[in-house]
Amino acid sequence: MRASGARLTPLRRRVLALVCESHSPVGAYELLARLGGERKARAAPPTIYRALDFFMEHGLIHRINSLNAYVACFGPGRPHDACLFICERCRTVEESDAFGLRRAIDHEAGESGFRVRRQTIEVTGVCRACAARMGESDQRSVKPTR
Ligand SMILES: [Zn+2]
Ligand SMILES: [Zn+2]
């Protein structure tokens, strides 16, 4: 990451690595617990939140409000709005930039004179893999194949 004045401390580096390693969204306290397990010096919650804010500002992670958790950005590099598809079954998250949606929101906001600062769209449902598994179990109940 290109440094922009702020330092990337070993702790911050570790926080980012933990969020990126996770295949599902992680909460701040989950991060704290993981860090506590591997470090002698325990990190305080404000330190974790500052680290998470720092990475959000730099567009490396997104916060999922409905889950109170964080997920690594799929196209990091610059701050951007995201549309997150969250699977209710396995909690995996897929990200789309959803340009059409953003244009629609900007248009609606413009009509009412509202200034959009940041928008994260959270969509919940069932991912392709889970949908396929659900399909399989349906088939199995009818005609067991393996
Ligand atoms: Zn992103
Ligand atoms: Zn799923």
Side-chain angles (χ1 to χ4, degrees):
M1 185 169 61
R2 270 151 284 150
S4 53
R7 283 177 311 135
L8 198 56
T9 62
L11 177 75
R12 284 186 172 179
R13 219 182 281 273
R14 195 66 200 120
V15 167
L16 184 62
L18 285 173
V19 175
C20 292
E21 278 165 18
S22 175
H23 295 290
S24 54
V26 275
Y29 280 86
E30 209 176 322
L31 288 171
L32 261 180
R34 287 190 202 175
L35 286 168
E38 65 188 40
R39 284 176 169 264
K40 283 182 189 124
R42 279 185 48 206
T47 314
I48 301 286
Y49 281 113
R50 267 200 299 277
L52 292 168
D53 281 344
F54 173 80
F55 292 125
M56 273 195 290
E57 264 169 43
H58 286 80
L60 294 172
I61 63 174
H62 295 293
R63 183 182 145 79
I64 301 172
N65 287 317
S66 60
L67 298 177
N68 194 16
Y70 301 82
V71 70
C73 178
F74 289 71
R78 63 199 156 81
H80 57 273
D81 299 318
C83 180
L84 303 172
F85 295 102
I86 306 154
C87 178
E88 293 166 334
R89 299 205 149 221
C90 65
R91 293 208 350 145
T92 57
V93 176
E94 291 199 28
E95 179 176 345
S96 156
D97 45 28
F99 281 119
L101 253 174
R102 281 166 49 192
R103 262 205 298 274
I105 290 170
D106 284 341
H107 178 76
E108 292 293 322
E111 300 265 285
S112 59
F114 184 86
R115 283 196 201 172
V116 178
R117 193 165 57 85
R118 199 182 285 180
Q119 45 180 312
T120 301
I121 300 151
E122 298 177 19
V123 183
T124 52
V126 180
C127 76
R128 192 198 297 257
C130 287
R133 272 196 291 275
M134 285 159 75
E136 272 170 30
S137 63
D138 286 349
Q139 280 167 18
R140 220 172 278 143
S141 61
V142 178
K143 188 180 67 172
T145 48
R146 201 111 204 256

